[in-house]
Amino acid sequence: MIKYLFGTAALILLLTSCAKDDAVLPEQHDYKIVILPSNGNPGLGNSEEEPLGVALALPQGIRIVERKDHPFDPDLGKLYAHANFFYVDINFVNDRMPGTPPVTVELPPGLIGVSRIHDKQNGLSIEKYLITVPPTERYGGSRDTTTVYIGMACLNKNRSMPWYDNIGPEQVFPISRNNYPKFIVTSDPSLRKLLELLKGHPGLKVNAHWDPVAAHEEDYVVPEWMKIHNEIQDIIWDVTDGFGLTHGKMEELKEKLKQYR
């Protein structure tokens, strides 16, 4: 009989404990990790390896080249950006015959610019872009490579910012030219989940430049339009350099992104 009563009491205690845990759970729910960290995966966080992914697929007759002497053009019509920590240049050559129709190049979400310098950030583009590339060679023999700029978020929090060694007129733009010869599309599972949250928000399109030099001044005030981009960058670093994305932060982000749909 005593043994029976002891077993019943233990069961009641167990059920009571579970009920208490359930009562606390909603308060703890915000801290649950919903996107696992990629910290330490190749090319992310402190890793110096090349990021995992597949090479950017280009249409037949299209190739990417370097234009070391081609200065940054601040024309916003050449900027494709829904992430805004820095820009990379991509220079397309269309080898098809003069007079043939332009070729459309698709840059998918999850495009990573792989830095050739290990102390500079690898970059992540979060949206799909369609780039029109006319034949490089024109009638009459003239040539004109198509150069565009892609807005990137940073994937390595502890690396240097890609624009730190800019000189001359380029100092006041977050451009990193001639440092991204290779582009891949990420296969990292956590980054892919994060991209699903971020893509499809046309209001994130960047329509103004920011000045990295001014941003280091003590009296610098972050423009209102840039605040969401800074928050997105911090969340990306939660995944690439931190402990992952919590449910609470994810819900806050989803709520803020509603106005950018």
Side-chain angles (χ1 to χ4, degrees):
M1 181 69 176
I2 294 175
K3 184 176 181 181
Y4 172 78
L5 290 173
F6 178 80
T8 303
L11 180 60
I12 292 172
L13 179 61
L14 177 62
L15 292 174
T16 303
S17 299
C18 288
K20 288 181 180 178
D21 288 344
D22 287 343
V24 174
L25 185 60
E27 299 176 10
Q28 297 177 336
H29 195 50
D30 281 349
Y31 300 101
K32 179 182 178 182
I33 300 296
V34 290
I35 296 184
L36 295 175
S38 294
N39 196 350
N41 287 359
L44 308 178
N46 293 323
S47 169
E48 293 188 358
E49 299 176 76
E50 186 170 296
L52 298 178
V54 297
L56 173 65
L58 295 173
Q60 185 176 4
I62 301 293
R63 54 195 172 93
I64 293 175
V65 299
E66 293 188 35
R67 299 181 78 182
K68 292 184 178 181
D69 298 322
H70 186 67
F72 173 65
D73 184 346
D75 178 2
L76 289 168
K78 296 184 177 183
L79 177 63
Y80 297 79
H82 286 68
N84 192 39
F85 241 55
F86 69 98
Y87 316 147
V88 303
D89 59 326
I90 306 184
N91 310 295
F92 294 106
V93 169
N94 180 347
D95 287 324
R96 298 190 180 190
M97 294 291 292
T100 56
V103 174
T104 298
V105 178
E106 179 179 323
L107 304 181
L111 184 72
I112 289 180
V114 182
S115 175
R116 61 160 38 109
I117 302 174
H118 280 186
D119 74 339
K120 289 187 177 183
Q121 305 274 345
N122 293 319
L124 177 72
S125 175
I126 65 175
E127 192 53 85
K128 180 177 80 172
Y129 303 116
L130 300 177
I131 313 297
T132 301
V133 183
T136 300
E137 187 173 350
R138 314 295 193 203
Y139 284 121
S142 63
R143 301 179 68 85
D144 186 17
T145 301
T146 299
T147 295
V148 298
Y149 306 99
I150 308 300
M152 295 275 180
C154 298
L155 293 177
N156 315 89
K157 187 175 184 179
N158 294 322
R159 293 193 193 182
S160 299
M161 292 304 159
W163 62 82
Y164 76 86
D165 55 357
N166 284 355
I167 59 175
E170 293 181 352
Q171 286 182 302
V172 296
F173 297 103
I175 176 66
S176 181
R177 290 193 305 108
N178 303 313
N179 184 44
Y180 296 88
K182 186 172 186 178
F183 294 91
I184 65 172
V185 181
T186 184
S187 60
D188 184 86
S190 293
L191 285 183
R192 299 303 307 178
K193 287 182 180 179
L194 187 54
L195 287 166
E196 288 299 316
L197 293 177
L198 296 175
K199 70 181 184 180
H201 294 87
L204 290 176
K205 186 179 188 310
V206 176
N207 293 308
H209 297 298
W210 66 281
D211 181 346
V213 175
H216 282 84
E217 299 294 333
E218 290 185 7
D219 59 350
Y220 179 72
V221 177
V222 177
E224 197 64 33
W225 65 267
M226 265 192 69
K227 291 180 179 179
I228 185 65
H229 295 286
N230 290 347
E231 292 184 37
I232 288 172
Q233 178 61 74
D234 287 340
I235 282 173
I236 290 173
W237 276 336
D238 283 344
V239 173
T240 62
D241 290 76
F243 299 100
L245 181 63
T246 64
H247 178 267
K249 275 196 174 183
M250 182 185 72
E251 291 303 313
E252 285 180 14
L253 176 64
K254 287 166 68 174
E255 187 63 31
K256 289 178 180 179
L257 286 176
K258 287 180 180 178
Q259 63 182 298
Y260 297 96
R261 287 177 180 169

